[in-house]
Amino acid sequence: MTQIIEDLSTLLRPAKDMLAEVSDREAAVAQVTSQIKNDDAARALFAQVCRFEAPFTASWVHGPGDDSPYLSLELAAASLDDDRYRAQLADIVLSTSTSIPFDYRALAAEKLLQVGAGEFTGALEEVVDSYEPLPVRGLQAKIAVPTDGIDHLFDIPDTVTGRLNILIAASRAKTLESRYLLAGRVLGNGVAETAPEGEPERLILEDVGTTMVSPLDYLVPWDQEFPGENGSNLTLAELMRITLMCGEFQLPDTTVRPILVDFYRSVLRTGGRSIIGLAAGVFHVEHGTLATPSYYYQGRDAILGKGCVIDCVGGAVLQAGSFLGGGYMPILIHTHKHIRKSNQAAASERKQILPCIFAAEAGARYPMDAIGLFETVDYLGRETPYEGIRAIPHAK
C-alpha cells in the first residue's frame, strides 16, 4: 500500500505542461479517480493536493477541468461520496493554507453552499465569530511617519529570515480574512457585498465565475497593517515595496520563491495558475498621505512577465490568460498621471494625480518587445496600440 501511495504522489506532482512526460492525461485521471474512490490514504493525499500543499502547488490536477476552472474540484465531485465530498469542500474553505488561491477557495465555498454545510456549520460560525479585522493606518499615524522629503521611511528587517517572516505573517493574516469572508457567505446563502457597477467590476465578475466573489474582494486596502519586527506594523503598500526592492525576492530560490508566491496568492488574491515572474511585481506609493484603495485583479493563467511592474495607484484588472511583457524587459505599467496647474511650482504635481485603471482583457498580450513606460492615462478615451489592452476611467 505504501508503494501505491508513493506512486500516486509521484503522479500528482508534475505541472500540467509536464504531465505528458509521465503519463497520458486520460489514464492519469482514471488512476487518480480509482484510488481516491477506494483508499483512505489516497483520499488523505488528495486532500493535501486540494490544500495546495508542497509539492503539489502546481499539480496538473489544478489545471482546467472539462466543465469548471479546476480539474481537482471535478475529481473530488466525481470520486467522493456525498459526506466525503462535503468534508473535502469544507476542508478547502476552512483551511489556513496560504497556498490556496482565493478563487479556488471561493469555488469550493459555492459548491459547499449547494450541497449544504451540514455538520461543518459550527466550524464556519466559529471562523466568523472569532475573526479580528486587521488594523488600518490612520491619518495621524501617517503624518508621524519619518520621511526624506519624497518617500516615507519604515523599518525593514535587516536579515533575509526577518523579511521572509513578515511576508509569512502577512500571508497568514490575509488568509484568515479570506476564510472569514467566504465562511460568512456560505452561512449567508452566498450573498456577497456588491460594488458599484462599472466596467472594472464587470470584468472581474465575468472572469472569476463564482457568485461567492465580489469585486470589492479585489479592492486592495493599501493602508491595511500587518505585523512587522519589534512591535512595529507595516502597511500593505510598504510590504509590496519590500518584495520589489529586496534582491532575494527576485531569485528562483527554493525557500524564498514559494513564500513569495503564497504572499501574492493570499494578500493580493491572485488567481490560480497565475504567475508574477522573477523581478516582476506590483506596488503602491502614497502621494503625501493618499493611499486610496485600488483594484488589483489577476485572473487564472494571467502572467505578469519577468521584469514587468505595475504601479497600482489607479488600479489594474488582468483577466484570465492575459500576458504582460516578460524576458526581463524593463516595463512599468503606470496607472496614474501627475498633473500641475498653471502658475504652480513643478514639485506640486507630486501630490496631484489623475488615476485610471489598466485593463488587460482575457487572452490579451502586452508584447515582450515593448520597453519602458506605459502611461495608461494617455489612452483614456482612445485605443492603445495593443489589442485587448485599454484604459478605464477611475470611478469618482
Side-chain angles (χ1 to χ4, degrees):
M1 182 60 68
T2 300
Q3 185 60 50
I4 291 174
I5 296 304
E6 288 180 359
D7 290 345
L8 180 62
S9 176
T10 300
L11 178 61
L12 287 168
R13 291 186 187 193
K16 62 178 180 137
D17 60 342
M18 298 178 68
L19 177 63
E21 306 291 332
V22 178
S23 172
D24 171 75
R25 184 180 186 276
E26 186 175 340
V29 168
Q31 180 180 340
V32 171
T33 302
S34 174
Q35 291 191 235
I36 294 172
K37 282 182 176 179
N38 298 306
D39 183 67
D40 286 340
R43 285 190 284 271
L45 181 66
F46 184 67
Q48 288 182 253
V49 176
C50 290
R51 291 191 295 269
F52 285 70
E53 294 181 6
F56 309 111
T57 53
S59 171
W60 59 273
V61 297
H62 295 315
D66 295 329
D67 301 305
S68 70
Y70 292 101
L71 175 60
S72 52
L73 292 178
E74 289 187 8
L75 292 177
S79 307
L80 302 173
D81 62 35
D82 290 348
D83 289 342
R84 287 184 174 127
Y85 181 49
R86 178 182 294 106
Q88 182 62 75
L89 294 173
D91 184 48
I92 295 168
V93 175
L94 295 168
S95 173
T96 57
S97 169
T98 58
S99 299
I100 301 175
F102 181 68
D103 65 311
Y104 186 89
R105 201 186 291 263
L107 287 163
E110 187 174 62
K111 296 296 184 184
L112 181 60
L113 177 61
Q114 291 171 4
V115 301
E119 67 270 30
F120 299 100
T121 300
L124 293 167
E125 290 173 341
E126 172 62 22
V127 166
V128 173
D129 293 341
S130 63
Y131 177 68
E132 296 184 8
L134 289 162
V136 175
R137 183 170 295 175
L139 178 60
Q140 292 304 313
K142 287 186 192 180
I143 292 172
V145 169
T147 178
D148 62 0
I150 297 176
D151 291 311
H152 67 264
L153 310 176
F154 47 94
D155 292 330
I156 299 174
D158 57 5
T159 65
V160 173
T161 299
R163 294 191 285 272
L164 291 177
N165 285 339
I166 60 174
L167 261 64
I168 291 169
S171 299
R172 288 173 176 166
K174 202 68 175 179
T175 296
L176 296 181
E177 183 183 271
S178 292
R179 291 169 76 235
Y180 162 77
L181 288 175
L182 294 172
R185 289 169 193 173
V186 173
L187 295 171
N189 296 318
V191 178
E193 186 179 359
T194 58
E197 189 170 339
E199 186 65 1
E201 292 81 16
R202 185 190 69 78
L203 290 173
I204 292 171
L205 289 175
E206 172 188 280
D207 201 63
V208 75
T210 169
T211 58
M212 283 290 174
V213 167
S214 164
L216 291 176
D217 298 334
Y218 298 95
L219 189 61
V220 183
W222 302 103
D223 279 338
Q224 198 169 43
E225 288 190 320
F226 298 87
E229 273 196 334
N230 304 318
S232 63
N233 284 347
L234 292 166
T235 66
L236 178 50
E238 291 166 349
L239 286 173
M240 301 310 299
R241 293 170 75 188
I242 288 173
T243 63
L244 270 179
M245 302 180 82
C246 292
E248 63 269 13
F249 295 115
Q250 317 308 320
L251 300 173
D253 182 85
T254 54
T255 298
V256 175
R257 184 66 180 173
I259 290 171
L260 181 62
V261 171
D262 282 359
F263 175 75
Y264 286 133
R265 279 185 171 174
S266 54
V267 174
L268 288 184
R269 296 180 176 144
T270 56
R273 304 187 301 271
S274 68
I275 295 172
I276 295 180
L278 299 175
V282 177
F283 71 100
H284 184 288
V285 177
E286 294 181 354
H287 295 82
T289 58
L290 178 66
T292 306
S294 57
Y295 283 117
Y296 186 77
Y297 172 80
Q298 185 172 344
R300 287 177 287 272
D301 300 299
I303 297 175
L304 189 61
K306 297 181 180 72
C308 188
V309 176
I310 300 183
D311 174 353
C312 273
V313 170
V317 175
L318 281 54
Q319 284 194 309
S322 56
F323 194 120
L324 306 186
Y328 295 106
M329 294 299 218
I331 298 171
L332 170 62
I333 308 293
H334 204 227
T335 62
H336 66 280
K337 196 164 190 174
H338 297 265
I339 53 178
R340 176 166 61 102
K341 297 177 181 178
S342 60
N343 300 321
Q344 284 187 325
S348 67
E349 71 180 41
R350 180 175 171 269
K351 294 186 180 181
Q352 299 176 75
I353 60 172
L354 173 62
C356 74
I357 293 172
F358 173 89
E361 296 175 353
R365 172 96 178 186
Y366 189 92
M368 281 192 181
D369 60 2
I371 303 174
L373 173 67
F374 182 83
E375 191 70 85
T376 311
V377 173
D378 288 346
Y379 295 98
L380 284 171
R382 66 189 187 93
E383 292 187 2
T384 74
Y386 314 115
E387 185 177 355
I389 303 292
R390 57 196 179 98
I392 299 174
H394 199 276
K396 299 298 183 183

